[in-house]
Amino acid sequence: MKNWLIFLTVGLLFIFGAAGLLLAQESPMHPIYPLLDAAGEPVLTSGQPVSTLKTCGSCHDTAYITQHTLHGNGGQTAPGSLPPAAEPTADTEMNCFLCHSPQPNNAARLEALSNQQTEWASTATLLNTGIVTFNDTSYQYNAAAFDSQGNLLPDYVAIQDPRSDNCGACHGQVHLDNQTPIDLSVCDSSDWRTYTTGQVASPQRIVNGGANIAGRAELTRTWDVHTERTLNCVDCHFSVNNPVYSLTNVSSQPEHLTFDPRRIDLGEYLQRPSHEFASGSDSMRTCESCHDAAASHQWLPYLDRHTSALACESCHVPQLYAPALAYRDATVVRQDGTTLDACRGIDGGLSFPPDTPVSTLITGYQPVLLQQTDADGSQKLSPYNLVSVWYWVHGDPEQQVTETDLRAAYLDGDTYAPEVVALFDANADQTISEAELILDTEAKTTLIAQRLSALGLENPRITAQLEPYPIHHNIIGGEWATRDCQTCHSDQSRLVSALTFADYLPGGVLPTLPQDKGVTWNGLLEVDDAGSLRFTTGTQTPAASLCIFGYDSSQVMDTLGILVLLATSIGVIAHASLRIIAGRRRATAAPAPIERAYMYSVYERQWHWLQTALIFGLTFSGLVIHRPNLFSAFNFAWMVDVHNIFAVLLIANAALALFYHLASGEIKQFIPRPYGFFDNMIEQALFYLRGIFRGDPHPFEKTPREKLNPLQQVTYLMLLNLLLPAQI
């Protein structure tokens, strides 16, 4: 009874104590703060736009942050934007709320930017938080959200570490709600990474989503395994001076240190957090930073060889289940000012962004594998989406034609110029459809070039290039990852694939392959017979040379090898058959006296037949590896292991035989005597060709001390001293 009362008392004290702490707490982890304008005055009294530099600068070194950031322009332009570039706008402050608020109003921010209200962009991000409202013409602050000193009340302080959906506001589609079916954006340029690659960050299983994806019922995998495991973007793309993640500079670190404990303390980091985030293989956490391939890939033959030649994504991103941009034709402009963009992975082909994305059938696409160059100079095959881009340039050095000038070249006001309509309107309906809005004739190209020249642009011309977009997300594992060796090691090798672009060349210009994108173009850009542009990867190209077992082969060497194998087999069979026939003929004559004697020891006989079995095993398993498509009944990975086992046994057997022959002195049997060797060899050859079939006596008597004739000696000498070492 006494113990029961003690436990009850302690429990009640704990409950009331915790409740008291919660009630006494005036704000979340982040302290309360005032919203300040550019002059440092509280916005509640001034009514001016929020200045993040002044507001956040009360505690954080915003001058340092703006000098160490990749997001310093307020998020006006999409990352890695394709031509034509957005029109230049006035500089804006960093929008801290966009990344550090749980539900920033990105749509309102974008609308403010599009309306040239750049100074109100950060304020617009706070709409729907209860702090600020918009009444069609102006922004008003809610006085009920502030205390008497102008600080935000604790209920309105919702500052947090950036989550993946914060990053997704600019970088691509992120959907973290597992209870609501994902509404997949289809070729929406506002979701940039999804738009250019088809990557989607979501823990939801594809089958549970709302997108119309072909074969969705069987896609029980999640969109991305890392998002499924609750990882955020900043877990890999962390602040470079974050003391938890920061990487030491190996070049400046003393050689005797395996770990350098020198880090800035947490207080200093909170005051001056760098907003330069880890990216690329030189600073970002890679797959190897967290995963031990040796522990999970025991099934994979030649693990080190595969991991040195293949990026993990090559097998763990075999397919993208969202559309991705295929080409951008920025040589023309729609009436609304947008370029002509087409996506792949919609209905299995290329098409323009649909008007009704919900009903669009999405087939996705398979990325191509290009050799990516890492920071250390090594190259690994990694998945990419390729986008072909055409656009106008002018002057020397060349400058890109702006969107304003391009619109002026095509439009008079909000409609196409009469001369443009006259030349482009093929069906004479006084409108220009997307099918007609292409520079497929010299007359069209000349007209637009003349109109650009009339705007004062010198030597306007079309240029084009292929843009590679790397794919490092949408990682999958288990049964969904590539595990079948014949995916690469067969005549249908994954390493040889093609991406198709436009079915025409704007202005007749063939895109170039830029050499500053960190990739080796292990493929060829070509126009097929139908006039479509496509890029086909291969293993033997001018830029790269790879040798893939099961795919790469030389027709001459294959033919020669088959002929040698057939000739040897036929020769052995014919020779043995003739000897059997000749032996039966001699058996009818009076039998000669026979004395049984062992010419070869037991070990020599075992060595000989084991070598024979191993050679046949190596030959057959080698054929399976070389041509797996002809031997599909045999498991490729298993045959690789069998081939390696045979090779090890062959080497071990040869090494033991060498030791035996050296120790026993039997090595002398294999060394021909120089005197009369060639005459004896010719005599032995004639015996094999005719004498053996006529019953002629053997030209050289075989004894336990002289077992090999001259031909056998030279054959074994070449096999054991030349061919076997070369084969090893």
Side-chain angles (χ1 to χ4, degrees):
M1 184 67 178
K2 183 178 180 180
N3 291 337
W4 182 81
L5 288 174
I6 293 174
F7 282 119
L8 177 61
T9 303
V10 172
L12 291 173
L13 288 174
F14 176 80
I15 293 173
F16 286 117
L21 287 174
L22 291 174
L23 292 173
Q25 185 178 3
E26 294 185 355
S27 68
M29 181 176 293
H30 194 283
I32 59 175
Y33 61 94
L35 292 180
L36 305 177
D37 61 19
E41 296 295 325
V43 296
L44 187 60
T45 57
S46 70
Q48 295 301 308
V50 174
S51 168
T52 54
L53 296 186
K54 291 293 185 178
T55 299
C56 302
S58 300
C59 297
H60 305 281
D61 189 346
T62 52
Y64 171 87
I65 294 172
T66 54
Q67 293 171 2
H68 297 80
T69 183
L70 301 174
H71 300 79
N73 66 345
Q76 292 185 81
T77 56
S81 57
L82 288 168
E87 294 296 300
T89 57
D91 291 337
T92 60
E93 293 181 341
M94 287 185 63
N95 193 334
C96 305
F97 304 126
L98 187 61
C99 297
H100 292 281
S101 296
Q103 292 181 329
N105 194 324
N106 190 44
R109 179 188 72 89
L110 293 174
E111 184 175 357
L113 290 173
S114 66
N115 293 333
Q116 302 301 313
Q117 295 178 306
T118 55
E119 71 278 7
W120 287 99
S122 294
T123 306
T125 311
L126 296 176
L127 286 174
N128 301 332
T129 63
I131 299 174
V132 64
T133 58
F134 184 69
N135 65 354
D136 296 333
T137 59
S138 62
Y139 296 88
Q140 287 86 33
Y141 297 99
N142 177 19
F146 299 84
D147 63 15
S148 58
Q149 284 77 37
N151 296 313
L152 283 174
L153 294 174
D155 290 344
Y156 296 92
V157 177
I159 300 300
Q160 63 174 22
D161 283 339
R163 300 194 317 173
S164 295
D165 48 358
N166 293 105
C167 303
C170 297
H171 290 278
Q173 187 165 8
V174 176
H175 184 87
L176 302 181
D177 182 5
N178 239 338
Q179 304 304 315
T180 305
I182 183 173
D183 184 14
L184 184 64
S185 64
V186 179
C187 292
D188 183 357
S189 59
S190 64
D191 290 322
W192 188 252
R193 190 173 300 278
T194 306
Y195 184 55
T196 54
T197 63
Q199 297 176 99
V200 176
S202 175
Q204 194 171 103
R205 298 189 181 277
I206 298 177
V207 67
N208 296 332
N212 186 20
I213 299 176
R216 187 183 67 178
E218 300 176 357
L219 297 175
T220 56
R221 49 154 287 193
T222 58
W223 284 94
D224 181 83
V225 69
H226 291 117
T227 312
E228 176 193 357
R229 306 298 167 84
T230 69
L231 291 179
N232 274 309
C233 298
V234 293
D235 290 324
C236 293
H237 302 280
F238 50 83
S239 169
V240 294
N241 73 337
N242 187 330
V244 176
Y245 293 108
S246 62
L247 304 176
T248 57
N249 188 345
V250 178
S251 61
S252 62
Q253 179 175 303
E255 294 182 358
H256 64 276
L257 288 181
T258 58
F259 172 74
D260 192 344
R262 293 170 292 183
R263 300 285 195 280
I264 63 173
D265 60 40
L266 187 58
E268 183 180 355
Y269 168 69
L270 291 176
Q271 182 185 11
R272 309 183 77 185
S274 174
H275 281 50
E276 292 176 337
F277 303 120
S279 62
S281 58
D282 55 337
S283 62
M284 189 180 64
R285 299 181 74 86
T286 62
C287 302
E288 294 81 5
S289 301
C290 301
H291 300 279
D292 181 6
S296 57
H297 290 68
Q298 299 94 338
W299 59 272
L300 181 62
Y302 298 105
L303 175 62
D304 292 341
R305 182 71 186 98
H306 281 93
T307 54
S308 65
L310 291 171
C312 299
E313 298 91 330
S314 297
C315 295
H316 289 273
V317 191
Q319 177 82 6
L320 275 301
Y321 290 98
L325 187 64
Y327 72 84
R328 166 166 288 184
D329 183 1
T331 64
V332 297
V333 63
R334 293 187 176 98
Q335 285 188 218
D336 61 1
T338 59
T339 57
L340 202 62
D341 295 356
C343 293
R344 60 172 49 92
I346 301 176
D347 286 331
L350 299 180
S351 63
F352 300 116
D355 295 328
T356 55
V358 175
S359 62
T360 302
L361 179 63
I362 299 170
T363 58
Y365 75 100
Q366 184 183 69
V368 297
L369 298 179
L370 298 180
Q371 284 187 300
Q372 174 181 286
T373 303
D374 292 334
D376 59 0
S378 62
Q379 290 187 324
K380 293 183 178 180
L381 289 166
S382 186
Y384 282 83
N385 180 42
L386 302 181
V387 179
S388 183
V389 187
W390 288 269
Y391 54 98
W392 287 94
V393 296
H394 67 95
D396 185 18
E398 68 180 34
Q399 304 173 57
Q400 185 179 317
V401 173
T402 65
E403 181 182 343
T404 300
D405 287 337
L406 191 63
R407 287 173 58 90
Y410 277 90
L411 305 175
D412 280 348
D414 294 331
T415 61
Y416 288 112
E419 54 267 41
V420 174
V421 175
L423 198 56
F424 282 73
D425 183 17
N427 59 5
D429 63 352
Q430 299 305 307
T431 60
I432 301 178
S433 65
E434 291 183 342
E436 296 170 332
L437 191 60
I438 56 176
L439 297 178
D440 55 349
T441 67
E442 185 176 352
K444 293 180 180 179
T445 305
T446 301
L447 173 64
I448 302 304
Q450 290 173 347
R451 290 179 63 84
L452 288 171
S453 296
L455 297 173
L457 304 183
E458 180 184 355
N459 186 24
R461 57 201 181 275
I462 295 174
T463 187
Q465 66 183 28
L466 215 58
E467 292 285 344
Y469 283 87
I471 297 171
H472 300 300
H473 306 84
N474 282 169
I475 302 296
I476 57 175
E479 61 177 305
W480 298 100
T482 300
R483 296 177 64 94
D484 186 358
C485 296
Q486 294 197 48
T487 302
C488 296
H489 299 280
S490 68
D491 57 347
Q492 302 295 323
S493 177
R494 167 78 174 81
L495 275 63
V496 181
S497 59
L499 282 182
T500 301
F501 306 99
D503 55 3
Y504 66 97
L505 296 180
V509 177
L510 186 70
T512 59
L513 303 178
Q515 303 303 313
D516 59 346
K517 301 297 183 178
V519 299
T520 297
W521 295 96
N522 49 290
L524 297 174
L525 188 63
E526 56 189 1
V527 179
D528 61 19
D529 296 336
S532 297
L533 179 68
R534 67 179 181 181
F535 182 84
T536 305
T537 59
T539 58
Q540 303 294 321
T541 66
S545 180
L546 305 171
C547 182
I548 307 301
F549 287 121
Y551 177 80
D552 285 306
S553 62
S554 168
Q555 188 64 39
V556 174
M557 293 303 296
D558 284 356
T559 303
L560 181 61
I562 292 173
L563 291 176
V564 169
L565 182 61
L566 289 176
T568 303
S569 301
I570 293 172
V572 170
I573 294 172
H575 183 84
S577 300
L578 291 174
R579 287 196 62 177
I580 292 172
I581 294 172
R584 288 180 176 177
R585 288 175 180 173
R586 291 195 298 271
T588 59
I594 297 176
E595 180 181 352
R596 184 178 297 273
Y598 280 103
M599 291 290 175
Y600 301 95
S601 66
V602 174
Y603 172 75
E604 289 175 319
R605 295 197 297 274
Q606 291 177 343
W607 165 73
H608 180 84
W609 287 111
L610 180 57
Q611 289 289 92
T612 303
L614 292 173
I615 290 171
F616 275 106
L618 283 168
T619 302
F620 179 74
S621 58
L623 286 173
V624 175
I625 296 170
H626 190 62
R627 289 293 187 188
N629 55 307
L630 300 178
F631 301 91
S632 57
F634 297 91
N635 182 275
F636 184 89
W638 185 76
M639 292 306 292
V640 170
D641 290 336
V642 169
H643 190 81
N644 290 336
I645 292 171
F646 283 160
V648 170
L649 291 176
L650 181 74
I651 296 171
N653 197 32
L656 290 174
L658 177 61
F659 172 77
Y660 166 79
H661 286 90
L662 288 173
S664 64
E666 290 293 312
I667 191 69
K668 294 182 295 184
Q669 300 274 358
F670 298 89
I671 303 175
R673 297 179 180 178
Y675 180 75
F677 173 74
F678 288 103
D679 292 338
N680 294 338
M681 189 171 62
I682 293 173
E683 185 177 358
Q684 182 66 39
L686 292 175
F687 172 76
Y688 280 145
L689 289 173
R690 64 185 184 194
I692 195 172
F693 306 112
R694 300 188 306 189
D696 294 347
H698 201 288
F700 303 100
E701 182 181 0
K702 180 184 255 187
T703 67
R705 293 192 173 274
E706 294 184 6
K707 305 170 186 176
L708 304 178
N709 62 54
L711 282 181
Q712 291 172 327
Q713 286 179 322
V714 71
T715 301
Y716 274 107
L717 194 65
M718 294 177 64
L719 285 175
L720 298 178
N721 293 279
L722 297 178
L723 185 60
L724 183 60
Q727 185 178 7
I728 295 173

